[in-house]
Amino acid sequence: MRIEKLWVIVRPSPTSEFGDICFETDAKGLALQFKGGLDPEDIHALYTSRNEAEREAERLLAASKKYHAVIREVDR
């Protein structure tokens, strides 16, 4: 199977929004992301299906927001 496009999901930061953590690219675009500073360790997952990628990104972002909300409460 030839993969022309893929969806990248990166680990969210406390201020991340959906568009920050989920994006479509190709091999050349991914190489440019690495040259621009994307650390391979920050990649949560790669998908060939947009729907699967978006579902996982939404799940990951919701979990991150919940986690950071708890951390803020503990720090008070």
Side-chain angles (χ1 to χ4, degrees), residues 9-16 21 42 44 60-61 64-65 68:
I9 301 174
V10 296
R11 299 187 194 287
S13 72
T15 59
S16 291
I21 70 163
D42 290 336
H44 172 74
L60 185 64
L61 192 57
S64 175
K65 288 183 183 291
H68 289 291

Side-chain angles (χ1 to χ4, degrees), residues 35-53:
K35 287 182 180 179
L38 176 63
D39 185 339
E41 293 293 319
D42 290 336
I43 295 177
H44 172 74
L46 301 172
Y47 288 88
T48 57
S49 165
R50 178 181 183 165
N51 289 338
E52 286 182 76

Side-chain angles (χ1 to χ4, degrees), residues 2-22:
R2 180 177 170 178
I3 300 173
E4 293 183 19
K5 295 282 184 175
L6 55 103
W7 288 84
V8 179
I9 301 174
V10 296
R11 299 187 194 287
S13 72
T15 59
S16 291
E17 295 184 18
F18 185 85
D20 299 327
I21 70 163
C22 184

Side-chain angles (χ1 to χ4, degrees), residues 4-5 12 14 23 31 58-59 62 72 76:
E4 293 183 19
K5 295 282 184 175
F23 60 91
E58 287 171 357
R59 184 199 68 76
R72 282 191 301 273
R76 286 186 182 177

